[in-house]
Amino acid sequence: MIYDVNHRTRFEYAQAVSISHHVLHLSPRTAPRQKCLSAAIVVDPAPTVRKDGRDFYGNPITHLTVQEPHAKLLVHSRARVDVTGPGPIDLEASRPWEEVAGLLLGPTDAEALEACRFAFASPYVGIDDAVHDFAVASFTPGRPLLAAAMEMTNRIYNGFEYRGGVTDVSTPVAQVLSSRTGVCQDFAHLQVACLRSLGLAARYVSGYLLTHPAAGQEKLVGADESHAWISVWCPVNGWVDFDPTNNCIPGDEHIVLAWGRDYGDVSPINGFMVGGGSHAISVSVDVAPQA
Amino acid sequence: MSSTRARYSAVDGAIDPLPDYAPSGGEFDEVIAPDGSVRPHWREFLDGFAALPEAERDRARGMAARLLRENSVTYVAQGDPEHRDRPWQLDLFPLLIEPSEWKAIEAGLIQRADLLNRILGDLYGPQTLLKAGKLPPSLVFGNPQFLNPCHGIAVPQNVHLHLLAFDIARAPDGRWWVLSDRTQAPSGAGYALENRLVASNSLPGLFAASNVQRLASFFARFSEHFLSLSRHDDPLAVLLSPGPGRTTYFEHAYLARYLGYSVVEGSDLTVRDDRLFLKTIDGLKPVDLVMRRVESEYCDPLELRTDSLLGVPGLVQAARTGQVVVANALGSGLVESDAFLSFLPGLCRHLLDEELKMPGVASWWCGQPQERAYVLDNLDRLIVRNVTMPKTILGPGQDRFIGAELSAAEREALRGRIGREGHKFIGQEPVALSTTPVWLDGQGLRPAHMTLRVYVAATADGYKVMPGGLTRVSEASISQAPLLEQSNISKDSWVLSDEPVDTFSLLTAPHNALRLRRGSRDLPSRTADNLFWLGRYAERCEGTVRLLRSLLTRLHGESDLAAHPVALDRLVKLLVAQEHLSQRRARQAVAGGMGAVEAALGRVLFGRDTPDGLVSILGNVRRTANLVRERLSEDTWQILMELVETVEVSGPGDSLNVDEALQLLDRMIRNQAALNGMIMENMTRAYSWRFLDLGRRLERIRHMVRLIRNLAGRGDPEATGSLGLLLELADSTMTYRTRYKAVPRLVAALDLLMADETNPRSVLFQLNAFETHMSELPSDSSEAIISPIQRIATELHATLRLADMEALAGQSRRDKREKLERLTHKLEEGVKELADLIARTYFSHSMPQHVSGPQWVEMPS
């Protein structure tokens, strides 16, 4: 499936900002099931300094510095991506999870070594006893990894309430677990924490999800949203995605922007500015299927 | 153990230098060999020490205590919620190390520095150590100190570690062991330097006779090499500090001054065009080199910890483009994790093709199944550390468990954590430390356990070791030996030389390789701000002291003021007008008569919670002085400290003994005079001096016009004696007498105090000085129009010059001098505006704010 993605972010400040620095993770990366056909980021006012490159995880990354006084900043990312679904996965045929955890202790090939980057606690993914206890309820001894991960996805979907405004990016996993409330990002952090507490490798994936209008209604431009889910490493299968917010294995309607250990590694826009006073951010995302 | 008598085998008739010193025998003692004899390299020193008369020893200890106090050598205890400065403790009796042994230590630590630097270079680069299976990946990816944004940043000459430290200790068999590696931003080198200064000054004869290797060239060679790494000529180097109130701020200012760098905080810096700049009063100056005392993860909120208030947004990118060199390189904290200890022997063979020369403490990293099993089996006797927690400044990391001291439940909990996240923990053998004599309380010498922190720096000729270091001692029993790392009793460490020593010193040499001149060229805006306020507070202090002295003299002396309730009333009103006393308290005091007024004065003088009392003004002097310490000479600093400590040391509480109080105030006025003398005669006319003096001038105008208004604004000041008091407070009595040789008259006094340009206390004199300073300060010269500061100053100047003194002295309505009142208000307002404008023009250093998007607040459809 080919999509055109338009992601506009608009910052407005009460007073002029004299200088601002931003780091963007807004260009879709290439992934095994995804090709980025074209991508462009337009910034207004034009930044004095702009560097496009790749981060430690291979994600496209853009550094911007706007050095002229500005009271608003518009960042518009446009991309065309081609996404393929994963095909059928036999969850029950995957390796027992303890075996995979064992492989990660002493990785013998490049793929396993790369997976080790995602096997430990990270700034937004704390691991404690409660997380571990929640995890082992699905990860019973000898259970195939992917089957257990699917069940965990299911438990989060059914056991947690999706509610915005209760949490923010810095809400600890422990609080999400105890309040059983959060948004996609919190559920992704929780599931990543659970998998890592078992010694498994799990990524936080930042991206978009195609939304479908209610029956009989026309799709509104710009009403889509950023989304977050997870990916777990299992030999032979490779990285397999799970979406705890929607209780599914992502197919060709999930578009990947970037992956990392947690939100902090791949925040779509992270910025610091001098001056500005209070600020308002408005975001509009539009995911339009082309074929 | 042989008897103390028998073990001393020097020349017949010599005094036994260690009469009661008795090491336990189970451990290695630095001075006494197992056979009871004094180790050879100690003999000469001990003879000299034994020959010191008691009075000389007392003098030495007294001098050391005084030097440490006067230099305000302090540290803030880790975890102290109040961030209180505590005095640094130095035990004068040094540790002596013989030359051949030191050579072995040097060789071991140079190899280790080289090894750690190579490991960092690999882990932040190709990561071949992980690919080849030489290091388990969890040691890197499971360690929060591996900062992935810093991966791939090239560093000049492949130097990641510019200055590092090792804590070493001696085992019972005499071998040295490494307890801990310090690669993040090692502290203590400045304290070692200060220890040397104090010890060599307090025991000058012994020091000179001992042929001790000097420390200064170590810092010179470090700095020379560091400066050479800049891409630019004439580089600007800064020391990035988390700011006052942090554990070792004393040292940050001390080292910055010693090396000739500017001490800065994150908010003093900004990144533009991928270059780092310092905000100075003269605009932005490019910074080429950063010696950081902020942990890597806090250095850039944009790419590292977004919650950091200590860093500079964009610093990582500036380092990435090679525009700035950061020492130690960002991310260097990774290899100080104790998890590396057990891998170093293998890595040394792999990377250097050599055996590791100095072993580390026996350690088992629980990320491997066999090692984990060993640690779990021996949990009751090992020491377990969480190696992912950052190390504290001088002590070990948090989360440390002494197996033998854990309860059964605690041990089980620990067992669970190790089982679940083994890579976070190591088990270590408890270490037996050597003993060395302590002499701290001046009693006999007693054995205490010790460790030694040694510093290693990258130089043009590879790594070099500082010949000396920070010896720390503790009298705690051996089972608590690991806690020694928290001890704050230190010693100077004398590395003896068998060759003539290099007596080069940065502190005394007027010319050296370092570019000390830049301190005056680049004045950070924040420093200018603090100097300006130091000037204001110092002047406010002087005005207050003079006022209190005059009032006390009148209360106490033969003047008839006490007999006249009206006069008493005026005195109290003056205290209110000068904002030293609240209206409510003033009414109570007047109603209570003489005794109550005395008590009120006592509170202004010594009360700790009187908002505008002397103690709180002095507190502000101390605080601002601390913030600009590296800009003040040692002598100026000491005079300032004597001044601020006068009341703290001798303040007689709430009860007022007038004689004592007067003596104290006299002493303070002399101190003030000394301070003013230092500032006028000994400070170079750089920007820092100008800001200090600007503050003083503006404050003096404010003080003077208030006095004039309050003492001469109404009534008949000539008759009531107010005019005499005014002249006295303005320190202008003598000038007036020599000029007029008559009873004070208002018109003449007003002219002398306001418009007489030759009187250094007059308002016009201050305005002239103010305008001279402003003409020397940088301004945007492209602006053809007159600046608001110039406009206000010129206007005030003209008003004063044109003022008709006869008219000002004349009363308009009832007994009030409205013209005088208007003029003094205008001047006071003008001063306030000028201060605001100076702050806006030169002192802006706001902290950047953070935005991050998106935030999910809506349910996706």
Side-chain angles (χ1 to χ4, degrees):
Chain A
M1 183 72 92
I2 293 175
Y3 298 94
D4 277 350
V5 180
N6 280 276
H7 183 158
R8 292 180 183 83
T9 309
R10 188 184 177 86
F11 297 93
E12 286 182 87
Y13 308 103
Q15 293 136 32
V17 165
S18 57
I19 181 168
S20 68
H21 301 273
H22 289 88
V23 174
L24 315 179
H25 279 102
L26 277 174
S27 287
R29 69 170 294 151
T30 292
R33 298 188 286 105
Q34 175 173 302
K35 259 191 292 199
C36 182
L37 304 174
S38 67
I41 297 175
V42 179
V43 182
D44 179 35
T48 320
V49 183
R50 172 173 177 162
K51 293 254 163 64
D52 295 281
R54 306 232 162 233
D55 69 10
F56 181 61
Y57 303 104
N59 303 305
I61 184 172
T62 303
H63 286 83
L64 304 176
T65 309
V66 181
Q67 292 176 194
E68 65 187 73
H70 53 290
K72 59 181 180 227
L73 180 72
L74 181 70
V75 178
H76 179 190
S77 164
R78 257 186 341 215
R80 172 165 290 194
V81 286
D82 186 351
V83 184
T84 320
I89 304 170
D90 186 351
L91 301 175
E92 294 296 341
S94 60
R95 304 271 290 271
W97 68 270
E98 298 95 327
E99 249 179 61
V100 180
L103 269 177
L104 290 165
L105 283 178
T108 49
D109 59 50
E111 193 189 322
L113 179 58
E114 210 248 16
C116 283
R117 298 176 176 190
F118 306 96
F120 305 99
S122 56
Y124 289 91
V125 176
I127 294 170
D128 61 14
D129 287 347
V131 165
H132 186 252
D133 292 346
F134 185 82
V136 291
S138 297
F139 284 75
T140 49
R143 189 154 189 208
L145 193 161
L146 296 179
M150 190 67 240
E151 191 204 287
M152 181 191 279
T153 306
N154 196 282
R155 282 169 59 219
I156 295 173
Y157 177 78
N158 288 315
F160 287 68
E161 184 194 353
Y162 190 106
R163 186 151 29 109
V166 183
T167 56
D168 61 34
V169 288
S170 61
T171 303
V173 165
Q175 189 187 320
V176 174
L177 186 56
S178 63
S179 71
R180 306 265 156 169
T181 320
V183 292
C184 56
Q185 170 185 78
D186 302 310
F187 301 153
H189 279 155
L190 171 65
Q191 191 167 13
V192 161
C194 289
L195 293 164
R196 293 182 192 167
S197 78
L198 302 163
L200 299 170
R203 291 166 178 164
Y204 174 98
V205 185
S206 156
Y208 309 102
L209 172 62
L210 175 68
T211 53
H212 299 280
Q217 285 184 7
E218 205 153 302
K219 190 177 164 172
L220 300 170
V221 174
D224 296 311
E225 284 220 3
S226 291
H227 188 46
W229 61 96
I230 72 119
S231 195
V232 65
W233 183 71
C234 190
V236 185
N237 300 84
W239 290 91
V240 179
D241 292 6
F242 292 90
D243 181 348
T245 309
N246 295 296
N247 196 23
C248 66
I249 291 179
D252 62 1
E253 294 189 349
H254 283 66
I255 299 145
V256 178
L257 263 179
W259 60 61
R261 295 168 305 165
D262 56 35
Y263 172 82
D265 284 336
V266 293
S267 163
I269 298 188
N270 193 24
F272 271 84
M273 74 268 327
V274 174
S278 60
H279 65 262
I281 309 176
S282 53
V283 180
S284 105
V285 176
D286 187 42
V287 178
Q290 300 302 302
Chain B
M1 194 82 220
S2 40
S3 87
T4 48
R5 226 16 90 185
R7 74 170 181 234
Y8 189 66
S9 51
V11 231
D12 283 4
I15 317 157
D16 183 344
L18 297 167
D20 303 312
Y21 186 72
S24 74
E27 298 135 6
F28 187 96
D29 187 80
E30 296 293 330
V31 183
I32 306 297
D35 65 1
S37 66
V38 169
R39 296 183 192 276
H41 66 285
W42 281 91
R43 284 189 186 142
E44 206 177 319
F45 173 83
L46 285 180
D47 285 343
F49 184 78
L52 285 182
E54 197 53 39
E56 181 58 19
R57 294 181 183 204
D58 287 347
R59 189 204 58 79
R61 266 199 312 276
M63 178 162 185
R66 184 173 57 80
L67 285 173
L68 289 172
R69 195 179 62 244
E70 284 178 358
N71 295 347
S72 298
V73 187
T74 55
Y75 77 109
V76 179
Q78 196 77 31
D80 179 352
E82 291 176 39
H83 298 292
R84 277 167 307 186
D85 278 342
R86 301 182 184 201
W88 182 253
Q89 280 185 283
L90 169 66
D91 176 24
L92 260 190
F93 196 90
L95 174 75
L96 268 53
I97 303 173
E98 56 153 327
S100 62
E101 177 158 53
W102 185 254
K103 287 206 176 72
I105 291 175
E106 273 184 330
L109 296 183
I110 286 172
Q111 181 201 49
R112 201 172 177 96
D114 198 23
L115 176 61
L116 292 175
N117 189 61
R118 281 183 198 230
I119 295 171
L120 268 180
D122 181 71
L123 295 180
Y124 280 104
Q127 299 193 336
T128 53
L129 294 175
L130 300 182
K131 288 169 188 156
K134 300 289 175 189
L135 264 183
S138 57
L139 221 63
V140 179
F141 303 125
N143 188 325
Q145 289 304 317
F146 177 73
L147 305 177
N148 67 60
C150 302
H151 182 263
I153 297 180
V155 296
Q157 299 180 17
N158 294 319
V159 178
H160 291 259
L161 300 172
H162 298 258
L163 181 67
L164 57 169
F166 300 99
D167 288 327
I168 63 174
R170 205 202 287 264
D173 66 358
R175 289 189 66 186
W176 289 95
W177 296 73
V178 176
L179 295 177
S180 178
D181 303 302
R182 298 285 173 151
T183 60
Q184 174 72 269
S187 52
Y191 290 98
L193 205 54
E194 178 68 19
N195 280 355
R196 169 59 52 85
L197 218 65
V198 173
S200 59
N201 279 316
S202 304
L203 297 170
L206 283 174
F207 182 76
S210 299
N211 206 32
V212 178
Q213 294 192 36
R214 303 300 204 265
L215 307 180
S217 61
F218 171 80
F219 289 96
R221 297 188 69 184
F222 155 74
S223 191
E224 193 179 34
H225 180 246
F226 185 44
L227 295 178
S228 78
L229 295 176
S230 164
R231 277 187 191 178
H232 306 95
D233 292 336
D234 197 14
L236 176 61
V238 298
L239 188 145
L240 177 62
S241 165
R246 303 304 170 130
T247 318
T248 55
Y249 184 73
F250 159 80
E251 180 179 60
H252 305 169
Y254 188 88
L255 273 182
R257 197 179 47 194
Y258 190 77
L259 295 167
Y261 304 169
S262 293
V263 59
V264 302
E265 293 170 35
S267 56
D268 298 331
L269 301 170
T270 178
V271 172
R272 277 164 197 263
D273 300 318
D274 288 345
R275 271 207 87 172
L276 184 66
F277 290 89
L278 173 64
K279 300 176 203 168
T280 78
I281 54 133
D282 199 5
L284 299 177
K285 302 278 167 163
V287 175
D288 305 293
L289 304 142
V290 177
M291 182 175 178
R292 66 175 173 85
R293 296 302 290 269
V294 171
E295 287 170 14
S296 302
E297 54 189 313
Y298 290 94
C299 280
D300 180 356
L302 186 65
E303 293 205 53
L304 303 171
R305 280 187 72 134
T306 52
D307 59 346
S308 170
L309 299 174
L310 306 174
V312 193
L315 182 63
V316 170
Q317 184 68 1
R320 201 174 273 137
T321 55
Q323 298 281 5
V324 66
V325 181
V326 181
N328 290 338
L330 294 168
S332 298
L334 175 64
V335 293
E336 76 176 24
S337 162
D338 289 331
F340 280 84
L341 283 174
S342 56
F343 292 93
L344 292 183
L347 291 173
C348 189
R349 281 190 291 272
H350 178 69
L351 289 171
L352 304 178
D353 207 12
E354 291 173 7
E355 289 300 318
L356 191 64
K357 290 177 180 155
M358 195 186 290
V361 177
S363 307
W364 292 269
W365 176 61
C366 304
Q368 291 157 307
Q370 270 185 324
E371 282 78 358
R372 179 166 58 225
Y374 178 85
V375 171
L376 291 175
D377 286 347
N378 293 279
L379 212 50
D380 52 345
R381 58 172 201 90
L382 295 178
I383 290 159
V384 173
R385 290 171 194 250
N386 180 341
V387 292
T388 62
M389 301 299 278
K391 289 184 180 180
T392 51
I393 300 295
L394 291 172
Q398 302 148 40
D399 260 8
R400 189 200 40 198
F401 310 90
I402 300 167
E405 295 176 6
L406 295 179
S407 70
E410 286 169 332
R411 207 170 295 162
E412 275 322 295
L414 182 59
R415 199 179 287 279
R417 289 180 69 186
I418 294 175
R420 211 162 46 249
E421 289 191 281
H423 71 277
K424 285 188 173 176
F425 296 92
I426 57 162
Q428 286 189 315
E429 284 291 347
V431 191
L433 305 174
S434 62
T435 54
T436 194
V438 283
W439 186 47
L440 203 58
D441 50 10
Q443 307 296 313
L445 295 163
R446 295 184 310 273
H449 294 115
M450 59 150 277
T451 63
L452 176 60
R453 177 168 288 192
V454 187
Y455 298 87
V456 180
T459 75
D461 309 314
Y463 282 108
K464 294 288 173 199
V465 178
M466 177 165 108
L470 198 61
T471 300
R472 285 177 296 151
V473 290
S474 164
E475 294 187 75
S477 73
I478 195 67
S479 74
Q480 289 178 307
L483 293 170
L484 176 56
E485 292 176 45
Q486 292 166 332
S487 157
N488 73 318
I489 301 172
S490 67
K491 284 169 170 290
D492 192 14
S493 316
W494 293 5
V495 175
L496 307 182
S497 174
D498 34 23
E499 294 154 25
V501 293
D502 171 14
T503 53
F504 173 87
S505 165
L506 280 186
L507 285 177
T508 52
H511 304 291
N512 57 57
L514 298 180
R515 299 163 196 209
L516 294 166
R517 67 174 181 282
R518 69 186 63 264
S520 57
R521 193 185 58 181
D522 304 295
L523 181 63
S525 302
R526 188 180 42 80
T527 311
D529 191 354
N530 290 322
L531 282 161
F532 179 77
W533 279 99
L534 174 59
R536 292 199 70 162
Y537 287 128
E539 184 64 27
R540 195 169 292 179
C541 174
E542 180 173 347
T544 306
V545 169
R546 284 184 183 281
L547 178 66
L548 290 171
R549 185 175 69 164
S550 295
L551 297 184
L552 266 182
T553 314
R554 279 167 170 68
L555 261 187
H556 181 56
E558 292 167 22
S559 121
D560 54 357
L561 193 132
H564 300 307
V566 179
L568 205 60
D569 178 60
R570 209 170 47 233
L571 186 154
V572 170
K573 272 195 180 137
L574 195 58
L575 282 177
V576 174
Q578 300 294 129
E579 293 178 350
H580 296 304
L581 199 62
S582 72
Q583 291 280 6
R584 191 175 57 81
R585 289 200 166 188
R587 274 196 302 276
Q588 287 169 355
V590 173
M594 180 78 176
V597 173
E598 273 194 8
L601 265 179
R603 271 195 300 277
V604 175
L605 250 176
F606 303 116
R608 295 199 179 275
D609 39 10
T610 314
D612 283 298
L614 196 53
V615 173
S616 93
I617 294 173
L618 287 172
N620 281 324
V621 171
R622 179 197 279 277
R623 184 177 55 79
T624 44
N626 247 318
L627 297 173
V628 296
R629 178 155 186 194
E630 82 281 4
R631 301 271 160 183
L632 304 172
S633 74
E634 272 308 312
D635 291 331
T636 309
W637 176 259
Q638 282 172 17
I639 291 171
L640 261 170
M641 287 305 113
E642 273 171 41
L643 178 69
V644 299
E645 278 167 12
T646 323
V647 170
E648 287 174 22
V649 174
S650 38
D654 271 350
S655 70
L656 185 67
N657 176 322
V658 178
D659 272 334
E660 280 176 19
L662 276 173
Q663 278 175 28
L664 190 142
L665 291 169
D666 280 340
R667 197 155 72 236
M668 291 184 77
I669 286 183
R670 283 195 299 275
N671 253 319
Q672 284 276 0
L675 178 63
N676 292 345
M678 287 305 294
I679 292 169
M680 292 311 291
E681 296 300 323
N682 297 51
M683 267 183 96
T684 45
R685 268 40 177 171
Y687 293 148
S688 39
W689 174 75
R690 295 199 183 278
F691 279 97
L692 184 64
D693 203 51
L694 273 175
R696 295 173 68 222
R697 300 296 166 194
L698 290 185
E699 188 65 28
R700 193 173 282 184
I701 296 177
R702 178 174 170 269
H703 186 68
M704 179 62 74
V705 297
R706 284 178 165 217
L707 284 177
I708 291 172
R709 186 164 66 235
N710 293 320
L711 285 167
R714 58 172 66 215
D716 187 354
E718 295 167 13
T720 58
S722 289
L723 199 56
L725 177 60
L726 177 60
L727 285 168
E728 183 181 312
L729 291 173
D731 201 16
S732 298
T733 311
M734 288 304 295
T735 318
Y736 188 91
R737 282 206 193 125
T738 49
R739 198 162 296 179
Y740 298 102
K741 295 190 176 54
V743 183
R745 284 203 47 238
L746 183 57
V747 177
L750 284 181
D751 183 61
L752 181 65
L753 298 183
M754 297 186 85
D756 187 335
E757 283 174 287
T758 65
N759 178 11
R761 296 272 158 181
S762 80
V763 176
L764 195 55
F765 187 95
Q766 317 311 318
L767 271 177
N768 283 342
F770 179 88
E771 291 187 284
T772 310
H773 289 321
M774 292 314 299
S775 68
E776 295 294 328
L777 287 180
S779 61
D780 193 350
S781 52
S782 65
E783 277 181 44
I785 50 164
I786 181 169
S787 79
I789 295 180
Q790 283 171 310
R791 188 178 50 71
I792 294 172
T794 311
E795 199 185 322
L796 294 180
H797 199 132
T799 312
L800 264 181
R801 272 181 178 281
L802 299 174
D804 176 353
M805 292 302 148
E806 293 284 353
L808 287 174
Q811 292 171 337
S812 48
R813 210 152 26 93
R814 293 199 299 179
D815 64 345
K816 210 170 172 188
R817 294 184 181 82
E818 285 188 335
K819 282 193 172 141
L820 184 62
E821 174 140 350
R822 269 204 301 278
L823 178 62
T824 55
H825 276 301
K826 180 175 179 178
L827 286 164
E828 201 176 333
E829 276 304 303
V831 164
K832 193 168 171 296
E833 276 182 67
L834 287 173
D836 287 348
L837 283 169
I838 287 174
R840 233 177 300 158
T841 312
Y842 296 107
F843 305 155
S844 76
H845 38 260
S846 50
M847 199 51 207
Q849 59 164 323
H850 179 227
V851 292
S852 164
Q855 309 265 344
W856 285 269
V857 288
E858 301 289 320
M859 179 87 181
S861 43

